[in-house]
Amino acid sequence: MDVKNLEAPVNTITLNREEVYAPTDNIYEAISIIAKRATQINTDIKKELLEKLDEFATYSDSLEEIFENKEQIEVSKFYEKLPKPHAMAVQEWLDSKIYYRDTSATETEI
């Protein structure tokens, strides 16, 4: 899933509590699922950003050789403008794009 094209809010918004926990009927379980997805999104974005910034990296021992790379600045600005990972995860949850399963349910054979 391409999280960079997700229509998540950039600013904080108020959500209806019932909409958030409706799929699980438990607010704590819903928040736990959203938090785990936000961690996944954050890890993916961070990995992608570091890979892109590594292309522009200069490895020198001199502190005097500091120069700014316009492409590097543009990449950083793009990632700064993205919605926060928790906002992306909440939006995915509300759009029913997160798969989860209840592992506490036991199956009985007849």
Side-chain angles (χ1 to χ4, degrees), residues 14-55:
T14 303
L15 298 172
N16 185 351
R17 180 182 56 173
E18 283 82 19
E19 288 179 19
V20 174
Y21 73 79
T24 61
D25 292 328
N26 185 333
I27 189 72
Y28 301 107
E29 185 178 357
I31 290 173
S32 176
I33 293 168
I34 292 168
K36 288 178 185 178
R37 178 62 183 140
T39 302
Q40 291 173 344
I41 291 171
N42 189 43
T43 303
D44 292 344
I45 290 174
K46 185 176 181 181
K47 179 181 174 187
E48 186 177 319
L49 174 62
L50 291 176
E51 287 174 359
K52 288 186 180 188
L53 291 179
D54 198 31
E55 295 173 9

Side-chain angles (χ1 to χ4, degrees), residues 1-2 8 12 14 27 35 44 58 76 80 85 97 99 103:
M1 181 176 303
D2 189 17
T12 304
T14 303
I27 189 72
D44 292 344
T58 57
S76 296
E80 285 177 3
K97 293 181 180 177
Y99 171 77
T103 58

Side-chain angles (χ1 to χ4, degrees), residues 30-94:
I31 290 173
S32 176
I33 293 168
I34 292 168
K36 288 178 185 178
R37 178 62 183 140
T39 302
Q40 291 173 344
I41 291 171
N42 189 43
T43 303
D44 292 344
I45 290 174
K46 185 176 181 181
K47 179 181 174 187
E48 186 177 319
L49 174 62
L50 291 176
E51 287 174 359
K52 288 186 180 188
L53 291 179
D54 198 31
E55 295 173 9
F56 303 112
T58 57
Y59 300 102
S60 64
D61 295 335
S62 174
L63 293 176
E64 297 172 2
E65 295 182 17
I66 299 173
F67 78 86
E68 295 179 0
N69 190 336
K70 280 195 174 279
E71 291 86 11
Q72 185 178 8
I73 293 171
E74 292 302 318
V75 168
S76 296
K77 283 183 179 179
F78 172 77
Y79 281 94
E80 285 177 3
K81 291 178 184 176
L82 285 177
K84 301 295 180 210
H86 64 273
M88 292 181 192
V90 169
Q91 190 61 46
E92 284 183 355
W93 177 255
L94 294 176

